[in-house]
Amino acid sequence: MGFGKGCHLHLIDGSAFIFRAYHALPPLTRKSDGLPIGAVSGFCNMLYKYVEGNHGPDAPTHVAVIFDKGSHTFRNDMYDQYKANREAMPEDLRPQIPLTRTATEAFNIACKEKEGYEADDIIATLAVQARAAGGRVTIISSDKDLMQLVGDGVEMLDAMKNARIDRDGVFEKFGVYPDRVVDVQALAGDSVDNVPGAPGIGVKTAALLINEYGDLDALLDRAGEIKQPKRRQTLIDHADQIRLSRDLVQLDENTPLDFTLDDLEVQDAKPDQLMPFLAEMEFRTLTRRIADQLGVEAPEIKEPEAPQDAPEAPGFDDATYEHVENADQLQAWIDLIYERGYVAVDTETTALNEMTADLVGISLAVNAGHACYVPLTHKQGGDDLFGSDDLAEGQMPLETALDMLKPVLEDDSIVKIGQNMKYDAKIFARLGIHVAPIDDTMLLSYALHGGLHNHGMDTLSERYLGHTPIPIKPLLGSGKSAKTFDQVPLEDAVKYAAEDADITLRLWQLLKPQLHRAQVTKVYETLERPMVHTLASMERSGIKVDRDTLSRMSNAFAQKMAGLEDEIYELAGRKFNVGSPKQLGEILFDEMGIEGGKKGKTGAYATGADVLEDLATVHELPARVLDWRQLSKLKSTYTDALQDHINPDTGRVHTSYSIAGASTGRLASTDPNLQNIPIRTEEGRRIREAFVSEPGKTLVALDYSQIELRILAHIAQIPELKQAFDDGIDIHALTASEMFDVPLDEMTPEIRRQAKAINFGVIYGISGFGLARNLRIPRAEAQGFIDRYFERFPGIRTYMDDTKAFAKEHGYVQTLFGRKIHTPEIGSKGPRAGFAARAAINAPIQGTAADVIRRAMIRMPAAIKELPAAMLLQVHDELLFEVDVAAVDDLIGVAKDVMESANDPVVHLDVKLTVDAGQGQNWAEAH
DNA sequence: GACATCACG
DNA sequence: GACGTACGTGATGTCC
């Protein structure tokens, strides 16, 4: 039947079905092989229910399920930030996408998509064609972007709520009728799709304006007539951006299609097509139900439970670890991997530093207890004390192995599982292999158990598998005679390396299914897993450090220290090791008889900076020691040590970030730590002059302004603080003004300083004692400040009490993004409880800030990919970039925007995030 | 390897 | 009434 009057076309938004199915269901897997099929299952159930419900007089005559195809559409060409905020697709959903197409076809329903277009465009085109032919259309979706199509026989149906949306329904949602929906969306923008719109204008205001002026063009032409000055200026300033937004939300009604409406005629399901598919997916209930309904026999679905088919996972004693020594054997493993769809991978290397380490061998595991090791560059042993450079027997050539594994490691449909995958990914990246997609057992554990224990393989294996891994120490030895892994005999290496892959696989099988129940799937997918490649790339970039600058500083420091040492010996009356706190304490308090020495728990005198600062008022020696210590610190930790970290190949310093090190979600930087480069003192700050850009490039530093206090203002709902941040008022001055009843214009630096200490104290779970010590004021006075603070900002007290209560009840606290930080000691008795309570108060604030910058970092590579720029470092609330001089402004524009909107769209903040920018030839200038 | 100290946010 | 006490990190040197 040709499509025409009396016909009724149903257009189903396929992607909406898929995502709804994915999020509504736990992560089901196919019983026989573990293939994730939760979303496919939900999708099929929805299709089934849809078909079932279509027997009334209103039944469709034509139907199609429309899908998105490809991530790049013509809208990205118009605006490169379009949908740039979108979260990456969850790893276990990706392999299910093609199966939803197969499912649609199995139901004998037309299944349509087109490269470079969104499903919405195809839906628009078909709806317009159907309307022109005189038929009716129902769009099955609740996507507001489709509402512009409603009217003249086109309606929407929200399948979840079973609610029809007609012209009046659209008016309810947008305040305008469908023909003006695009205008309203252009003004209001959309944070989910990252359509900019007009800043500060939402749907309500947009509708008001459109209704007053008729349409968007008229509004923009006559923007000068708008009474409200702020609104007027916004529309004038952002006219181009608003027009661009309109083009982005306007659906393309002329999508070129290679089929016609006639091709979409409804057809009965064919059992011989549908039943085999359902059986193959092993949907037992659905297969039976549909078979009954179609009046056919349900195909048998084998239960893979027979012991000979799938033996119980062997214990570690019964595991088989294979030594792969040629291409045929490796090919057999690759075949196994493709059968499975996933593989645990581990690399063995010559060192712990992945920027300098060389690959020695690769281990693989596909089943618990079934793993192999592929040694590649093990050296020939021998009596020779120095070993031999000759390769050991029983190895295939490195090149051959990499050529064979590269397609697997880069295959979209094979999940590569690792423990601390960033390490392996960097090793492979240096060999030209981009490992993806990946899963990481360390990060699974971090998302599930953050705060409970560390997430190293030994810990996880002991805790969750009850197995102590083979220790590496006996294989490598220690001290001067320590070997590297390429000198380990193959027999030992196979056992050790294959076991690591085996453990990793077992941990993955155990931990991955727990994400959903612990409700941390989103945390893992959006805050942990994507960090692996983002950080790997930053670490590989490194930052240029000028050796000569450091070396000169080291010499200068050495000279000054020598001078200070002479003075110190003079003052002390004898020589001693200035670097020894023990000796210093004895000199000060025993020999020189200075009063007030306090011994710590180990019986030694305390000689920390705070103690020496107090003593500096009564004697010169402590002041000299303080100066000496500062120089000693700068020299040993920075100017000397950093030189050793300059990579000879790149001339740059490559730190390593631990993703799962800090309990709150912060990163930590090691080897070297580039998150604690001095800045607070002028002398220390000059060390940053050694961190430089390449010629023709500039360093750009972008840092969040007061992000933790902003988050506190939001979480604790403090109206005064929120207002101050909105108005751009100095937050510490504002706090001081509120607390001490001093008007802002009479603020003194001293009062402000005290308020600042209190603000920070609050973030840390303030105590009278701590504040008193910090401000060096009597404890009672400090307590008075705190009382006043709570009085002025009662939300803070509520937040602290609520957070402690939550931690006690649940054993964890959460960030705004759902990250859990466990607080196992919250119920302790004694001082431990105090520690735990303060940590619990701090964690949601520090952790939310950490989540925000993680989100910014994850989005950054895509956002700046067209720019000659690289993201180099993260320092908790700061990102450092290196960019061609000519592109500095572009970079600042894009990166700042990504950072300031990093919370969108999943978390709304009442307080805006602002980012300050700096630039220069070195890090001192850029900051 | 524990401890004290001090660099950062 | 006494505990102890600001949150989160990593690197270095001393001393046992």
Side-chain angles (χ1 to χ4, degrees), chain A residues 183-408:
Chain A
D183 293 353
V184 168
Q185 285 184 292
L187 285 167
D190 181 18
S191 62
V192 177
D193 290 349
N194 209 24
V195 172
I201 293 190
V203 170
K204 284 229 170 87
T205 312
L208 206 78
L209 288 168
I210 294 298
N211 284 327
E212 188 177 341
Y213 289 83
D215 63 31
L216 187 64
D217 287 318
L219 171 65
L220 291 178
D221 286 347
R222 295 166 52 201
E225 300 170 23
I226 297 172
K227 289 183 200 74
Q228 299 86 341
K230 207 171 166 188
R231 206 175 276 176
R232 180 172 63 229
Q233 207 52 43
T234 300
L235 289 192
I236 294 171
D237 291 349
H238 297 88
D240 286 347
Q241 182 175 315
I242 294 166
R243 291 203 172 87
L244 169 69
S245 299
R246 176 172 57 183
D247 293 342
L248 289 172
V249 297
Q250 176 71 56
L251 298 178
D252 184 351
E253 296 171 353
N254 295 301
T255 306
L257 300 173
D258 54 7
F259 60 91
T260 68
L261 291 173
D262 298 346
D263 299 329
L264 308 182
E265 199 168 337
V266 169
Q267 302 183 43
D268 288 334
K270 292 183 185 153
D272 58 342
Q273 217 174 331
L274 182 53
M275 300 319 295
F277 172 77
L278 296 173
E280 189 195 333
M281 292 291 108
E282 301 172 15
F283 298 151
R284 290 171 175 77
T285 313
L286 193 60
T287 305
R288 200 169 356 92
R289 190 176 295 162
I290 294 181
D292 286 352
Q293 207 247 321
L294 293 175
V296 298
E297 185 128 343
E300 194 193 343
I301 299 170
K302 273 201 206 114
E303 289 291 334
E305 60 181 351
Q308 58 267 44
D309 285 300
E312 271 286 286
F316 283 93
D317 294 339
D318 311 323
T320 41
Y321 295 150
E322 198 181 309
H323 171 185
V324 169
E325 51 185 311
N326 59 47
D328 286 346
Q329 292 173 348
L330 181 57
Q331 188 57 50
W333 275 88
I334 291 173
D335 293 344
L336 277 177
I337 293 169
Y338 274 103
E339 247 172 60
R340 269 280 175 229
Y342 54 80
V343 58
V345 183
D346 187 33
T347 55
E348 303 301 335
T349 60
T350 52
L352 279 173
N353 184 326
E354 61 270 47
M355 283 303 295
T356 51
D358 289 319
L359 183 65
V360 171
I362 300 168
S363 42
L364 306 166
V366 291
N367 270 326
H370 190 199
C372 71
Y373 179 57
V374 191
L376 298 167
T377 60
H378 282 258
K379 302 287 194 288
Q380 187 85 258
D383 307 329
D384 186 350
L385 184 66
F386 299 99
S388 158
D389 280 346
D390 294 339
L391 289 181
E393 298 285 317
Q395 304 185 92
M396 60 187 296
L398 176 71
E399 287 286 311
T400 314
L402 293 181
D403 285 348
M404 290 176 73
L405 284 170
K406 182 177 160 84
V408 184

Side-chain angles (χ1 to χ4, degrees), chain A residues 503-522:
Chain A
I503 290 170
T504 303
L505 187 80
R506 293 176 198 243
L507 286 171
W508 181 76
Q509 290 174 335
L510 185 79
L511 297 180
K512 182 93 191 219
Q514 295 180 14
L515 286 179
H516 195 263
R517 218 177 39 192
Q519 296 182 298
V520 289
T521 307
K522 272 224 133 149

Side-chain angles (χ1 to χ4, degrees), chain A residues 551-754:
Chain A
S551 169
R552 272 200 302 273
M553 289 176 146
S554 279
N555 291 335
F557 289 150
Q559 277 197 357
K560 279 197 190 170
M561 283 168 71
L564 284 168
E565 275 159 36
D566 290 343
E567 287 185 50
I568 289 168
Y569 299 152
E570 181 86 11
L571 288 162
R574 70 172 174 96
K575 286 197 171 190
F576 69 101
N577 186 344
V578 184
S580 164
K582 184 165 173 272
Q583 292 180 29
L584 176 67
E586 285 160 9
I587 297 250
L588 286 171
F589 302 114
D590 293 340
E591 297 183 18
M592 296 172 58
I594 295 179
E595 299 283 308
K598 276 197 194 117
K599 294 191 175 177
K601 41 191 163 221
T602 52
Y605 288 113
T607 66
D610 49 346
V611 176
L612 295 189
E613 273 166 34
D614 288 340
L615 295 181
T617 55
V618 298
H619 202 281
E620 271 191 51
L621 192 146
R624 295 291 173 276
V625 173
L626 281 171
D627 290 343
W628 184 91
R629 278 199 185 154
Q630 195 202 0
L631 297 176
S632 162
K633 181 79 172 186
L634 295 178
K635 182 170 185 295
S636 68
T637 310
Y638 301 104
T639 55
D640 286 351
L642 273 174
Q643 296 186 53
D644 299 335
H645 282 286
I646 297 174
N647 183 302
D649 297 330
T650 64
R652 298 166 76 93
V653 171
H654 306 263
T655 184
S656 179
Y657 289 101
S658 8
I659 313 177
S663 59
T664 54
R666 273 197 179 179
L667 301 177
S669 160
T670 63
D671 310 302
N673 181 355
L674 295 187
Q675 288 181 323
N676 71 346
I677 303 302
I679 193 169
R680 291 175 187 170
T681 67
E682 179 50 33
E683 270 176 313
R685 183 189 167 87
R686 296 205 50 202
I687 290 172
R688 294 187 175 221
E689 291 171 9
F691 290 76
V692 295
S693 53
E694 294 284 348
K697 291 179 182 276
T698 299
L699 292 180
V700 170
L702 297 173
D703 66 289
Y704 284 106
S705 162
Q706 304 289 7
I707 185 167
E708 292 192 354
L709 277 175
R710 284 171 198 263
I711 287 165
L712 175 70
H714 170 90
I715 295 184
Q717 291 292 322
I718 314 296
E720 296 85 353
L721 296 187
K722 288 199 276 188
Q723 189 64 46
F725 279 125
D726 274 355
D727 298 344
I729 294 175
D730 175 342
I731 199 70
H732 303 309
L734 183 277
T735 309
S737 167
E738 289 279 331
M739 283 187 59
F740 301 114
D741 289 323
V742 178
L744 277 176
D745 49 15
E746 290 172 26
M747 188 55 53
T748 68
E750 179 54 23
I751 302 177
R752 181 181 180 280
R753 189 183 70 86
Q754 296 194 326

Side-chain angles (χ1 to χ4, degrees), chain A residues 116-135:
Chain A
Y117 290 86
E118 294 183 47
D120 290 358
D121 296 310
I122 303 174
I123 291 173
T125 303
L126 292 171
V128 168
Q129 287 178 7
R131 178 156 57 196

